[in-house]
Amino acid sequence: DGGITQSPKYLFRKEGQNVTLSCEQNLNHDAMYWYRQDPGQGLRLIYYSQIVNDFQKGDIAEGYSVSREKKESFPLTVTSAQKNPTAFYLCASSFGVNYGYTFGSGTRLTVV
Amino acid sequence: DAKTTQPTSMDCAEGRAANLPCNHSTISGNEYVYWYRQIHSQGPQYIIHGLKNNETNEMASLIITEDRKSSTLILPHATLRDTAVYYCIVRVAGSNTGNQFYFGTGTSLTVIP
């Protein structure tokens, strides 16, 4: 079955460490996105990519980095520069303009 | 970008229709209205979208007013599994920021047994 997979589901990180969240899709979607969600709040866009080897900053890109070397994969690295990284991270993909999103099940990151 | 306004929370009795309103008074002609829902600690799920005409699928109906300044998502027979946060989104089309969806805080729907 086609879908979008995020791993791991839960992740713990010590302060000062970088951590990478995985996002893989087999939907043949061109565009991929990373969102962050804090308790009781909506989703905020971190980064997005419309095609391979290209990506753009969203509203809250500081402290995060991404790569898009393959169409299927869009990993997100939470760097030590991110001051408040504890959150629920959601990855999504779409065919692009005029199409809706398919979301993954999310990764809950906790800094300990 | 058009903004949307939704009530913070709503209750609905199980088996009854749930009508979730959304105001989008600044919507422009080429912007679609999308609805997603998010069950606790899961990724949002697409429900339905529309431009001008009313739309219906196996999950819900979308009623858009003639002036397109508001819409209503209708879950015809709400079940306990429909308890979720519902997001009404107006999609930014053709901007240089890509095909983004702006998710606000949505409406928290609680279906009561």
Side-chain angles (χ1 to χ4, degrees), chain B residues 44-76:
Chain B
Q45 175 190 24
Y46 166 82
I47 301 173
I48 199 167
H49 75 284
L51 182 63
K52 295 181 182 178
N53 300 322
N54 298 337
E55 302 288 344
T56 296
N57 64 20
E58 64 278 4
M59 290 182 68
S61 295
L62 174 60
I63 308 298
I64 302 175
T65 58
E66 191 169 347
D67 63 8
R68 302 209 324 123
K69 292 184 177 182
S70 66
S71 61
T72 301
L73 178 74
I74 300 173
L75 308 178

Side-chain angles (χ1 to χ4, degrees), chain A residues 2 5 7-8 18 31 34 37 40 46 48 51-52 60 73 92 95-96 112:
Chain A
T5 302
S7 60
N18 293 354
W34 274 104
Q37 187 173 35
I46 304 173
Y48 65 97
I51 56 172
V52 175
I60 55 166
S73 178
F95 278 117
V112 297

Side-chain angles (χ1 to χ4, degrees), chain A residues 41-76:
Chain A
Q41 300 196 22
L43 282 65
R44 292 184 289 169
L45 183 66
I46 304 173
Y47 268 98
Y48 65 97
S49 167
Q50 293 185 282
I51 56 172
V52 175
N53 292 323
D54 182 65
F55 48 84
Q56 304 295 329
K57 292 182 179 180
D59 300 322
I60 55 166
E62 185 176 352
Y64 299 98
S65 66
V66 293
S67 63
R68 187 85 188 278
E69 297 177 0
K70 299 186 301 181
K71 187 175 186 178
E72 301 79 15
S73 178
F74 191 41
L76 173 74

Side-chain angles (χ1 to χ4, degrees), chain B residues 15-31:
Chain B
R16 303 295 294 269
N19 297 287
L20 290 86
C22 179
N23 288 319
H24 31 78
S25 58
T26 60
I27 192 171
S28 55
N30 62 347
E31 290 180 318

Side-chain angles (χ1 to χ4, degrees), chain A residues 5 8 10-11 13 18 25 27 31 43 47 50 55 60 69 77 84 90 96 98 101 107-108:
Chain A
T5 302
Y10 298 95
L11 190 57
R13 181 196 106 174
N18 293 354
Q25 54 98 0
L27 300 165
L43 282 65
Y47 268 98
Q50 293 185 282
F55 48 84
I60 55 166
E69 297 177 0
T77 297
N84 187 20
L90 286 159
N98 293 328
Y101 286 11
T107 292
R108 190 166 299 279

Side-chain angles (χ1 to χ4, degrees), chain B residues 1 5 11 14 18 39 54 82 112:
Chain B
D1 302 343
T5 304
D11 293 338
E14 188 178 16
I39 296 170
N54 298 337
D82 292 323
I112 302 170

